[in-house]
Amino acid sequence: MNQPAHAPAAAAVEVHRPTPITPAPLAPIAPVQAAGIPAVASVVLPDGRVVTGYAITPAQPEPAAAKPVVSRAAVNVALGGVGFLAVCGGLFLLTAFITALAALVTQLVILAAVVFGGFIAVQVFSAGGHRGGTTVHIRKAVIKRNHFHG
């Protein structure tokens, strides 16, 4: 009666051993870098140690903002406007010069009239006592009082 309360039942035990599967021959595997992942570089130091890490590419400066291209039409319009303003300015200066020249000529004509008129007035209104006439002999002709005597 010394039997344990739970006696192991005699059971048949099966042992399963896996059978190895021989794999089909594969092509040699080459490491492939995914796009965007930098390549891993390994360096062998002189004492034999191997240092592996990512290669650091020099930082590229951001490209400067490109100047906007000016269209030919805009350049032509601007040059046309500058040319038009130059022509208008030149015409303005020309008209101003002509106006000044006309004023100068007018002043000279008035000055000549005043001087000549003054000379005539002095001759007419001069209080001179002698009324000497001049007789001019041209080839034995005598000119008196606007008559020609031959």
Side-chain angles (χ1 to χ4, degrees), residues 23-43:
L26 298 174
I29 298 174
V32 176
Q33 290 291 331
I37 299 175
V40 177
S42 296
V43 177

Side-chain angles (χ1 to χ4, degrees), residues 59-134:
Q60 297 284 337
E62 290 190 24
K67 294 192 323 186
V69 178
V70 179
S71 68
R72 283 250 189 238
V75 170
N76 290 340
V77 167
L79 290 177
V82 170
F84 178 74
L85 289 178
V87 168
C88 288
L91 288 176
F92 176 74
L93 290 176
L94 181 64
T95 55
F97 175 74
I98 290 172
T99 304
L101 189 62
L104 177 68
V105 169
T106 304
Q107 293 293 323
L108 289 176
V109 167
I110 291 172
L111 178 66
V114 167
V115 169
F116 186 69
F119 177 75
I120 297 297
V122 167
Q123 294 299 320
V124 169
F125 297 119
S126 67
H130 73 302
R131 281 227 175 238
T134 303

